């Protein structure tokens, strides 16, 4: 079983919900995608939360697709 990870500055102009502050944003920020056995979990961060420079953490369950998995401060 292998975990696929994609991450980097958000290249998409789509509407996302920030994984930390839970506010909608369009473009910019940071984007993390985790994929395991066909289940996809996205963790988008808006530019403001990314610029805050915090360390974030989450426990990820791969039981369903999640377009904005919530994260907390580590």
């Amino acid at each position: 079983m292998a975990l696929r990870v994609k991450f980097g500055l958000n290249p998409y102009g789509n509407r996302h919900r920030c994984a930390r502050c839970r506010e909608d944003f369009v473009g910019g920020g940071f984007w993390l995608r985790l994929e395991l056995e066909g289940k996809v979990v996205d963790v988008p961060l808006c530019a403001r939360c990314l610029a805050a420079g915090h360390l974030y953490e989450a426990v990820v369950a791969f039981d369903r697709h999640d377009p904005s998995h919530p994260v907390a401060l580590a």
Side-chain angles (χ1 to χ4, degrees):
M1 174 177 355
L3 173 69
R4 182 178 183 187
V5 179
K6 290 170 98 174
F7 61 95
L9 296 179
N10 181 14
Y12 304 111
N14 301 11
R15 178 174 296 279
H16 297 284
R17 173 153 297 187
C18 180
R20 173 61 183 145
C21 70
R22 309 309 290 166
E23 292 184 18
D24 290 341
F25 69 99
V26 177
F30 182 82
W31 187 71
L32 170 68
R33 170 168 279 180
L34 307 171
E35 186 175 347
L36 182 66
E37 297 180 343
K39 300 287 193 305
V40 176
V41 173
D42 291 331
V43 183
L45 288 175
C46 69
R48 188 178 70 228
C49 287
L50 179 62
H54 297 298
L55 180 63
Y56 300 102
E57 69 178 358
V59 175
V60 177
F62 287 93
D63 55 346
R64 64 180 177 86
H65 170 76
D66 193 337
S68 182
H69 191 282
V71 299
L73 294 177

